[in-house]
Amino acid sequence: MTKDEPGLRERKKAATREALSWAALRLAVERGLENVRVEDIAAAAGVSPRTYNNYFSSKAEAIVSRHRDRVLQAAGALRARPAEEPLWEALTRSLVAPYVGAPEGPDPRWTAAVRRLLREPALQAELLRDSAGVRSELAAAVAARTGTDADRDLYPNLVASAALSALQAANEHYLAADPVVPFQPLLTEALRQLAAGLPDPSSR
């Protein structure tokens, strides 16, 4: 076994996970969540249902994993940012990075369908279950960067919670915008306003 094999294996697993999650989202948007079977998702991703079950226990988990994986990717990126970079600049760059390459002008029919899909109770429950875990990972990355303790100090948890709320608000605005708007600048602006202390719009 060469040194590169474990890394390659992990990359293949991540690619399979991403393909399954994307297939689950696309099919649910096209057909409705209740009309999508595990077999459909597996076939769309080019794997067996058994492989699907090795990654996810439900359709909702597969769809929500896209959000979870992006936040975990951002937490890892934050740990790797230059130490001299200001926290909110590093945090913004890290949270925006997973969305690089997203369509500048998404199809309004797609965003409307995703908005309807996210009202599904199963997806809302999965997002709620997942929220504590992703917040904890992001808080740990903030703590590592600021020399605080995520288990004892308020600061890293407050920063992580606020940043994820900005992400949620940007996503909701993106899905509801008419005409459509690109997501990355929207998220960047949400985090910029948060870093500035959410100044009163009338004072700007």
Side-chain angles (χ1 to χ4, degrees):
M1 180 181 295
T2 67
K3 290 184 178 180
D4 292 334
E5 284 181 0
L8 177 61
R9 185 161 55 247
E10 290 305 311
R11 288 195 297 273
K12 286 182 176 179
K13 288 173 65 177
T16 299
R17 180 181 173 87
E18 171 69 15
L20 285 166
S21 181
W22 169 245
L25 174 60
R26 179 174 56 80
L27 291 173
V29 166
E30 292 173 357
R31 305 178 187 179
L33 186 63
E34 72 280 3
N35 299 317
V36 179
R37 304 175 306 158
V38 166
E39 291 81 4
D40 301 327
I41 299 170
V47 300
S48 69
R50 181 177 179 180
T51 296
Y52 171 92
N53 289 326
N54 287 336
Y55 286 86
F56 302 113
S57 60
S58 70
K59 294 178 290 185
E61 183 185 2
I63 293 170
V64 169
S65 75
R66 293 172 61 79
H67 169 69
R68 178 181 185 275
D69 290 349
R70 281 168 169 165
V71 176
L72 295 182
Q73 181 181 339
L78 179 60
R79 292 177 181 273
R81 297 297 305 176
E84 66 275 10
E85 194 172 40
L87 173 63
W88 279 99
E89 181 178 343
L91 188 56
T92 297
R93 290 179 181 275
S94 299
L95 283 166
V96 170
Y99 298 92
V100 171
E104 286 293 307
D107 186 335
R109 294 170 297 180
W110 170 264
T111 56
V114 172
R115 191 166 64 247
R116 290 193 298 271
L117 178 64
L118 289 175
R119 298 191 189 111
E120 289 281 349
L123 286 179
Q124 292 180 351
E126 190 64 39
L127 282 166
L128 184 60
R129 276 194 297 270
D130 219 38
S131 62
V134 296
R135 185 177 63 248
S136 176
E137 289 293 333
L138 189 58
V142 171
R145 188 174 187 87
T146 58
T148 55
D149 187 329
D151 293 326
R152 294 185 299 178
D153 297 328
L154 176 63
Y155 184 79
N157 291 286
L158 185 59
V159 168
S161 295
L164 291 177
S165 292
L167 174 59
Q168 179 182 349
N171 190 56
E172 290 172 355
H173 189 86
Y174 166 77
L175 292 174
D178 183 16
V180 296
V181 294
F183 182 71
Q184 289 182 67
L186 187 61
L187 176 57
T188 300
E189 175 60 14
L191 292 165
R192 185 197 68 77
Q193 291 190 29
L194 188 60
L198 292 177
D200 186 340
S202 64
S203 67
R204 287 185 289 167

